[in-house]
Amino acid sequence: MNTKIAAAYIGIHPEVLRRWARQSGKHAWLPKPIRVGKEFRWDINALETALANLDDQPQEHDDETG
C-alpha cells in the first residue's frame, strides 16, 4: 500500500510515517518500504507484525524540538 493508506491503516498521519522511514536508525522496528518512482510502498503484514512486537516494548515518543 502507499504511504497515505498505510498511515491511515495504522492510525497515524502520512508525514509521521515518512519521517519514521527517513529516521530508520531511530525507528529500527519499522519495516523498510519499497520505493516505486517517487512513492513508498509498504507491506501491511510487515507493519502489523512490527506494531504487534512494539506492544512488548516501551513506547517511543516522536517529539521534535527546535
Side-chain angles (χ1 to χ4, degrees):
M1 3 183 108
N2 67 29
T3 300
K4 184 176 179 179
I5 295 170
Y9 186 83
I10 63 174
I12 61 173
H13 192 275
E15 188 53 39
V16 173
L17 187 55
R18 287 185 195 100
R19 187 178 336 124
W20 287 355
R22 288 190 302 266
Q23 299 172 340
S24 60
K26 185 176 179 181
H27 305 285
W29 60 270
L30 185 68
K32 293 192 181 286
I34 297 169
R35 188 174 200 96
V36 178
K38 293 181 179 181
E39 292 191 18
F40 287 127
R41 297 286 188 237
W42 299 88
D43 179 341
I44 195 61
N45 294 325
L47 277 173
E48 286 180 337
T49 299
L51 289 170
N53 290 336
L54 278 180
D55 289 340
D56 298 332
Q57 299 175 9
Q59 291 290 324
E60 286 186 39
H61 295 283
D62 192 37
D63 296 333
E64 287 189 353
T65 57

